[in-house]
Amino acid sequence: MQSRQRGAARRDVDCFSKLGIVRSNTAKNNKNKKKKKMDQAMSNVARAVESGATTIRGIVDATGLSRLKVERALHALEKQKLLLRDSRGFTAPGMLATPQVRQCGSCSRCCTLLEVTEVGKSVNEWCKHCDVDKGCTIYDDRPQMCRSFNCAWLQGHLADEWFPERARMVVHFSQDAVNVQVDPGYPDRWRQEPYFSKLCEWSLNGIRMNGNRSYATLIVSGPDKFLLLGRTIVPEPTLFGTAFLPVAAETFRYWKARSPEHLHRLYGRITEIQRIQQEFGYCAIPDDDDPYPPYRPALLRLSNHPHAESDAESA
């Protein structure tokens, strides 16, 4: 009798133990799902704010999220200092609050240059719902992407010469970039003044930002893509990143990475170049784009520093 009771008790313990494991795994899965949903909500809210939505109601309209989800996402973003709140509403760090309200007027450049997947519109083609004389023919039922989009000129960040219909390009912000979509009929418009100097200024600000997120300045002109590093133009930047080193106030040397590991090595050599510059006041910048450690001996020899050989041997 006692043996059967002990066996039953053991089975009960095993059963409860397995049940506890199942519950634990279920709880972890639910927690992961909630985190993914929260991350997605935060991403949508951040994009809405950077596109010009500054109030909770505006963010709700732009994202389609419930007010409760928007408020939770805003709280999390503020806590991480990814959004700022003031008397005028919400803004992204490094971006000015909208100083004035503008209207699209006769401009429908975004309906031409930008992609809108919800209506099957590709980049650099007229939207089938855009009437040149009347504007959007489905305005009341336009996709969420169109509802939430506001170009930088419309937000008031740019002077009148940046009016997209006049400038022949659309500037808009994302979480980590200033994006410039250029009319393929005017492929070099962004290289002209006063546009180029302003883009260079943005680029330098994005590189030098302290205390906030840095951002890139990207230009898309027809099939061509460019990254701006001050006044240095990087054609066809890679997805893995571009390592760069300042050589003057507004110009840079750069190397395009072919993998994350390659980018790490490029920046490792840049760090050593800067260290040698501090020690000797000068370091030659190599032309090759595939360095391997140790970087110091080759850099010292290339720079022809006095006692470079002895320094290299001890490095």
Side-chain angles (χ1 to χ4, degrees):
M1 181 69 177
Q2 290 179 348
S3 176
R4 286 198 298 272
Q5 288 176 341
R6 283 196 296 271
R10 191 178 298 110
R11 286 193 297 273
D12 289 342
V13 170
D14 291 341
C15 181
F16 284 123
S17 177
K18 291 177 181 178
L19 183 60
I21 293 172
V22 171
R23 285 177 175 173
S24 176
N25 290 337
T26 301
K28 287 180 180 178
N29 290 336
N30 290 338
K31 187 176 181 180
N32 289 336
K33 288 180 181 178
K34 287 181 179 179
K35 185 178 184 303
K36 287 182 179 179
K37 288 182 179 179
M38 184 60 171
D39 289 344
Q40 185 61 52
M42 289 170 63
S43 177
N44 291 341
V45 167
R47 288 195 186 98
V49 171
E50 290 172 338
S51 295
T54 58
T55 64
I56 291 179
R57 182 171 181 176
I59 297 169
V60 169
D61 291 341
T63 61
L65 297 171
S66 69
R67 184 183 181 91
L68 179 60
K69 288 182 179 179
V70 166
E71 288 178 344
R72 286 175 176 171
L74 286 170
H75 177 73
L77 289 165
E78 284 186 272
K79 191 173 181 180
Q80 296 178 34
K81 297 183 179 180
L82 296 176
L83 286 184
L84 304 175
R85 187 199 302 250
D86 58 25
S87 59
R88 291 166 293 188
F90 297 94
T91 56
M95 299 298 181
L96 299 175
T98 305
Q100 64 187 90
V101 177
R102 284 169 165 163
Q103 300 295 325
C104 296
S106 61
C107 181
S108 54
R109 195 54 45 186
C110 62
C111 301
T112 309
L113 300 181
L114 304 183
E115 180 182 30
V116 185
T117 55
E118 293 171 80
V119 294
K121 181 200 171 307
S122 301
V123 175
N124 296 328
E125 69 173 29
W126 274 103
C127 177
K128 61 186 177 183
H129 300 294
C130 181
D131 186 306
V132 178
D133 297 320
K134 299 178 181 179
C136 182
T137 59
I138 58 166
Y139 187 80
D140 292 337
D141 299 313
R142 65 195 186 281
Q144 191 62 50
M145 177 182 175
C146 299
R147 292 177 183 274
S148 61
F149 180 79
N150 286 293
C151 72
W153 180 87
L154 196 62
Q155 293 180 50
H157 295 297
L158 298 171
D160 288 341
E161 60 264 21
W162 287 85
F163 180 53
E165 194 67 23
R166 175 182 174 184
R168 298 293 177 175
M169 51 188 158
V170 174
V171 180
H172 59 101
F173 303 128
S174 61
Q175 280 188 288
D176 55 1
V178 173
N179 304 282
V180 184
Q181 189 80 32
V182 184
D183 188 329
Y186 300 80
D188 294 323
R189 187 72 159 174
W190 64 279
R191 298 176 186 265
Q192 300 170 7
E193 294 296 350
Y195 309 114
F196 186 68
S197 290
K198 185 64 176 178
L199 293 172
C200 292
E201 177 188 332
W202 271 340
S203 171
L204 291 170
N205 288 342
I207 292 170
R208 296 167 179 169
M209 283 186 74
N210 294 318
N212 291 317
R213 295 173 299 165
S214 61
Y215 60 85
T217 301
L218 302 171
I219 295 98
V220 178
S221 180
D224 301 318
K225 297 179 177 63
F226 304 92
L227 167 68
L228 268 191
L229 300 173
R231 291 188 171 272
T232 302
I233 300 171
V234 181
E236 299 302 325
T238 70
L239 293 174
F240 301 107
T242 300
F244 54 89
L245 176 71
V247 294
E250 297 183 348
T251 58
F252 296 78
R253 282 288 299 274
Y254 66 86
W255 299 267
K256 293 187 281 188
R258 296 185 289 273
S259 69
E261 185 271 337
H262 183 213
L263 183 67
H264 179 74
R265 286 191 282 112
L266 288 170
Y267 271 119
R269 184 172 67 178
I270 287 174
T271 299
E272 192 60 53
I273 289 173
Q274 292 173 325
R275 186 178 293 121
I276 292 173
Q277 287 174 339
Q278 291 177 350
E279 291 180 25
F280 295 93
Y282 166 76
C283 180
I285 300 176
D287 291 325
D288 72 283
D289 66 349
D290 197 20
Y292 283 87
Y295 310 110
R296 185 178 179 86
L299 290 171
L300 288 172
R301 285 193 295 270
L302 184 65
S303 303
N304 293 318
H305 284 305
H307 312 298
E309 291 298 331
S310 59
D311 287 337
E313 290 174 2
S314 61

